[in-house]
Amino acid sequence: VESHGKVWPDLRVMAPFAELRAYADSFDLGALDSTDLAHVPFVVILIKAADRWAAEMGLEKKGLTYKQRKEILALVQQMAPAAGEENFDEAVEAVNTSCSDYVVSNDVNRILTDPAANTADAQTSNFWLLANALRRYVASEYGAGKMPHSGAIPDMKADTQSYVNLLRIYKQKAEQDKAELTQCLRKVVQEAALADDHVSAGEIDTFCKNASQLRLVRTHALHHEAETAPELWDNLVNEGVSEHYALFRAAGVFLEKHGRYPGIPDADTGAGDLDAQCEQDARELRAIAVDLMTAWGNKDPEVAESLVAEFVRSGYMELHNVAAVVGGIVAQETIKLITHQYVPQNGICIIDTANNLLAAVKA
């Protein structure tokens, strides 16, 4: 839920809700002196500019092209009392992101269209109960295809009272949206024969504040990765770590065959024979990797001998510097999973400290 992803501020400039519209209409920019004009929040400036553009062009404020957004930008610049006014500069910078149609992110749509978001029973987790409620909210006449507002707005150049009033309007909108989603949730939990307070008020609040940043991460077991062709092979090739991956998989095959990893001396290997065994292990490990890559559909696969030598040289030892890096990464990802904060790595992470390489290939 709390993915902490980067999202553009949800200002509803092109389709202001009633309270925001009334707030913007309370400003008569033509009647303000230069001092007061310099403290008008840029949200108001954008709403005024978009309204003026639509009136002059006789068009709706929907589906604007880049050229049309540039026309609104030019209007904002014309409205500025002088060059360099900070609030008008903020409005200019926000035109492209704020004067666009409202779009629900692909990540959120993936959740709303997931079959789990259409189920409700006693075994359904709170997340999917809330996702079910969100799906109904978005489809409702009230939601109209938009997410509940978080109540957050960015810092901006404005006098204190104007900013506080604007922030209060957005926060009130967020509370109204949360109340509407709570009504949708109540219907969901009733269908699941659960108590109305099955999902706590705190969970609902957190969910609504982060609704636009929801992420769904599904993983599979390690044995699945070890028993099937790699689903992320093209990504591994693009990241330059396909040979590393093939050698890791080949080392697993080697272990099953010999009961040891390549580079580890067996019971009959003497100290003087270790170099010869490593050379033999390297040849076999490389051959296994090439066979695997061929089976995965690669034509004329190549595996660098120097890379094979590094795999064998380490002999499955946990080198302290590598262990420190890997341990730190694993600890960080574990904290993400436990706290449900940020988005954990979902895919393959390969670290090659000999060549100063770290590649995180996402699923």
Side-chain angles (χ1 to χ4, degrees):
V1 173
E2 297 178 80
S3 65
H4 299 276
K6 181 180 179 180
V7 294
W8 299 114
D10 181 9
L11 300 175
R12 310 285 171 97
V13 166
M14 302 305 279
F17 47 93
E19 295 81 1
L20 180 59
R21 165 58 68 190
Y23 177 78
D25 289 346
S26 69
F27 287 83
D28 183 358
L29 301 188
L32 299 178
D33 59 32
S34 58
T35 301
D36 291 335
L37 197 56
H39 291 90
V40 175
F42 80 81
V43 174
V44 173
I45 296 171
L46 282 180
I47 292 174
K48 297 283 190 181
D51 289 347
R52 178 177 163 186
W53 174 87
E56 292 179 356
M57 296 295 178
L59 298 173
E60 292 187 11
K61 296 181 290 182
K62 295 180 180 179
L64 269 63
T65 63
Y66 176 74
K67 179 177 178 294
Q68 290 170 328
R69 289 195 294 273
K70 291 286 285 185
E71 292 169 353
I72 295 176
L73 186 150
L75 279 178
V76 172
Q77 292 173 326
Q78 291 174 17
M79 293 162 60
E85 291 291 352
E86 190 174 344
N87 56 337
F88 281 87
D89 289 344
E90 289 174 342
V92 167
E93 292 176 2
V95 165
N96 278 335
T97 56
S98 296
C99 296
S100 302
D101 291 346
Y102 188 96
V103 177
V104 177
S105 73
N106 291 333
D107 288 317
V108 174
N109 265 323
R110 195 173 297 118
I111 293 171
L112 299 182
T113 56
D114 193 285
N118 200 28
T119 58
D121 55 43
Q123 284 71 47
T124 304
S125 69
N126 285 4
F127 174 83
W128 286 113
L129 292 173
L130 286 162
N132 192 328
L134 180 62
R135 177 182 60 80
R136 301 182 189 204
Y137 171 95
V138 172
S140 70
E141 183 179 355
Y142 178 91
K146 297 180 176 65
M147 294 287 106
H149 203 283
S150 67
I153 60 173
D155 291 334
M156 61 188 74
K157 176 67 180 299
D159 63 84
T160 302
Q161 193 58 52
S162 295
Y163 183 80
V164 168
N165 289 340
L166 182 62
L167 180 60
R168 183 183 299 115
I169 287 170
Y170 279 104
K171 286 190 175 297
Q172 288 172 347
K173 171 63 174 171
E175 289 298 318
Q176 293 168 5
D177 291 356
K178 182 172 68 173
E180 190 69 24
L181 184 133
T182 302
Q183 291 300 318
C184 294
L185 178 62
R186 182 168 290 112
K187 295 177 182 178
V188 173
V189 296
Q190 287 174 352
E191 291 173 12
L194 297 168
D196 285 351
D197 60 353
H198 179 78
V199 181
S200 70
E203 285 181 272
I204 298 172
D205 187 66
T206 300
F207 188 86
C208 287
K209 287 180 178 178
N210 295 278
S212 296
Q213 304 179 53
L214 298 176
R215 292 288 298 274
L216 175 63
V217 178
R218 284 196 172 106
T219 62
H220 53 241
L222 182 60
H223 69 81
H224 173 83
E225 183 71 32
E227 294 167 359
T228 60
E231 298 174 1
L232 305 176
W233 181 256
D234 290 341
N235 294 346
L236 291 165
V237 172
N238 293 336
E239 291 290 337
V241 291
S242 57
E243 295 176 36
H244 296 73
Y245 178 86
L247 285 170
F248 274 116
R249 292 284 297 269
V253 175
F254 189 101
L255 174 64
E256 290 182 3
K257 181 178 179 180
H258 297 285
R260 62 178 179 84
Y261 281 97
I264 296 179
D266 57 32
D268 300 326
T269 302
D273 300 326
L274 184 57
D275 288 344
Q277 181 194 296
C278 285
E279 290 179 5
Q280 180 179 338
D281 287 356
R283 287 193 296 271
E284 184 175 353
L285 182 66
R286 184 172 184 275
I288 295 172
V290 168
D291 288 343
L292 287 173
M293 294 169 75
T294 302
W296 297 335
N298 296 271
K299 295 181 179 179
D300 303 320
E302 291 290 336
V303 181
E305 292 184 2
S306 59
L307 188 58
V308 178
E310 281 297 315
F311 266 76
V312 174
R313 182 181 70 86
S314 64
Y316 200 61
M317 292 187 297
E318 295 183 0
L319 303 177
H320 63 279
N321 55 337
V322 180
V325 173
V326 174
I329 292 174
V330 171
Q332 173 180 275
E333 298 305 303
T334 302
I335 291 171
K336 291 178 184 177
L337 289 168
I338 293 172
T339 62
H340 293 271
Q341 297 271 349
Y342 298 92
V343 182
Q345 162 67 13
N346 181 24
I348 299 168
C349 181
I350 291 178
I351 304 167
D352 180 355
T353 53
N355 294 297
N356 195 29
L357 173 66
L358 188 152
V361 181
K362 296 182 179 180

